[in-house]
């Protein structure tokens, strides 16, 4: 349901595919946990996300090894490696593929670029190649390459910053609660970015992200409250007189 709602949000033409980590220190998650060396939190869930350059997440997949694609129908990408399958699957839902370019952070290969171009009509850029060019001649890095790198890869970084800025605490032995907390935070960050875009178009004052979260929380807290009664209380509800 969350993925379907994300697809309804209009996006820019610049997209990036990268991983997001959700920390889980428990042991009751089976093969869903991944060990990530050289990080403060060694055990995490791994999600692969597609973000537009505005920072809005439009698609995500929980990495589950061989069962990652159990809810996805694979066609031309069946023979691709796991990373290329992830990128292709997340990009199949782009609404204007001929006008779009995708930048991915790990999985660029000739087969992926060819499959994206021929089957989806989407251009694909690998950030490892761009980074290598930058390191090779930083003072003479071609401007189109540097511009493409900055335009595409900033989206998921912005989303991750907002999600972790006021993170929902969901410490539990139940493996699904940290993922549920992450989805809540992602919903709010997506909503704020859409609100920010609309404020810019309408030239209205933007509510800061923290106050926006508080407004959402206050509104949700009112949902289950009974409506307040107006007028004098009935005689049946009045307290008995003390003698």
């Amino acid at each position: 349901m969350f993925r379907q709602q994300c697809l309804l949000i209009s996006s820019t033409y610049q997209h990036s595919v990268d991983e997001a980590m959700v920390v889980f220190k428990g042991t009751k998650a089976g093969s869903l946990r991944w060990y990530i060396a050289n990080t403060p939190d060694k055990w995490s869930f791994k999600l692969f996300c597609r973000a537009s350059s505005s920072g809005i997440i439009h698609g995500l997949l929980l990495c589950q090894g061989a069962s990652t694609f159990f809810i996805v129908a694979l066609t031309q990408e069946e023979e691709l490696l796991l990373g290329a399958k992830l990128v292709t699957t997340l990009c199949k839902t782009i609404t204007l593929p001929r006008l779009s370019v995708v930048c991915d952070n790990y999985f660029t290969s000739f087969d992926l670029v060819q499959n994206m171009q021929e089957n989806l009509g989407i251009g694909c850029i690998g950030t490892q190649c761009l980074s290598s060019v930058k390191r090779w001649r930083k003072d003479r890095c071609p401007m189109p390459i540097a511009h493409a790198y900055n335009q595409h890869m900033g989206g998921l970084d912005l989303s991750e910053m907002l999600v972790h800025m006021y993170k929902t605490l969901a410490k539990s032995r139940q493996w699904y609660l940290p993922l549920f907390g992450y989805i809540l935070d992602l919903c709010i960050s997506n909503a704020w970015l859409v609100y920010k875009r609309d404020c810019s178009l309408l030239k209205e004052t933007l509510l800061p992200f923290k106050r926006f979260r508080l407004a959402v929380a206050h509104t949700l807290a009112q949902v289950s409250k009974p409506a307040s009664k107006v007028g004098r209380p009935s005689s049946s509800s009045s307290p008995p007189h003390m003698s």
Side-chain angles (χ1 to χ4, degrees):
M1 291 172 60
F2 174 69
R3 292 176 62 209
Q4 292 302 318
Q5 291 300 314
C6 289
L7 292 175
L8 297 178
I9 306 173
S10 59
S11 68
T12 61
Y13 299 138
Q14 297 86 24
H15 303 265
S16 60
V17 175
D18 206 345
E19 63 182 24
M21 312 305 296
V22 179
V23 177
F24 179 66
K25 298 181 179 180
T27 57
K28 298 180 179 180
S31 59
L32 295 179
R33 291 193 313 159
W34 292 79
Y35 179 78
I36 314 296
N38 302 322
T39 59
D41 300 299
K42 304 296 183 183
W43 292 96
S44 303
F45 296 114
K46 185 185 295 187
L47 295 101
F48 289 91
C49 305
R50 174 173 65 85
S52 58
S53 58
S54 61
I56 298 172
I57 300 296
H58 298 277
L60 73 164
L61 278 174
L62 177 64
C63 191
Q64 306 174 65
S67 60
T68 299
F69 305 96
F70 76 100
I71 60 171
V72 180
L74 300 177
T75 52
Q76 295 91 348
E77 62 271 15
E78 186 69 49
E79 298 180 357
L80 297 174
L81 298 177
L82 175 62
K85 283 183 183 178
L86 286 166
V87 176
T88 306
T89 301
L90 288 170
C91 293
K92 286 169 69 174
T93 52
I94 293 178
T95 53
L96 295 172
R98 298 291 175 182
L99 301 176
S100 302
V101 177
V102 175
C103 215
D104 81 85
N105 215 12
Y106 299 102
F107 311 115
T108 305
S109 63
F110 177 76
D111 291 337
L112 173 60
V113 173
Q114 186 179 37
N115 182 74
M116 294 276 286
Q117 185 65 49
E118 293 181 357
N119 297 322
L120 301 180
I122 301 174
C124 184
I125 304 172
T127 60
Q128 288 182 340
C129 301
L130 300 180
S131 300
S132 299
V133 172
K134 283 189 173 184
R135 290 193 298 268
W136 178 52
R137 291 298 294 274
K138 185 176 182 180
D139 56 334
R140 294 187 181 182
C141 179
M143 288 301 296
I145 293 179
H147 184 65
Y149 183 89
N150 293 330
Q151 264 196 330
H152 289 71
M153 291 309 299
L156 192 58
D157 293 337
L158 174 59
S159 176
E160 284 291 280
M161 181 195 72
L162 293 175
V163 165
H164 288 85
M165 189 177 293
Y166 305 107
K167 187 177 178 181
T168 299
L169 296 178
K171 293 183 178 180
S172 173
R173 294 184 179 181
Q174 303 297 329
W175 63 267
Y176 48 82
L177 286 180
L179 288 172
F180 180 71
Y182 175 78
I183 294 299
L184 287 179
D185 294 331
L186 196 55
C187 286
I188 296 176
S189 66
N190 266 10
W192 185 77
L193 290 169
V194 173
Y195 161 70
K196 178 183 178 183
R197 181 183 64 189
D198 293 345
C199 284
S200 177
L201 293 174
L202 299 173
K203 301 186 184 305
E204 294 185 356
T205 304
L206 177 68
L207 200 65
F209 184 55
K210 183 176 181 179
R211 292 186 61 188
F212 182 86
R213 282 184 65 101
L214 291 172
V216 171
H218 177 73
T219 303
L220 292 176
Q222 305 301 316
V223 171
S224 59
K225 286 188 175 182
S228 58
K229 297 181 180 180
V230 180
R232 297 179 61 184
S234 61
S235 58
S236 59
S237 61
S238 59
H241 294 286
M242 299 296 292
S243 57

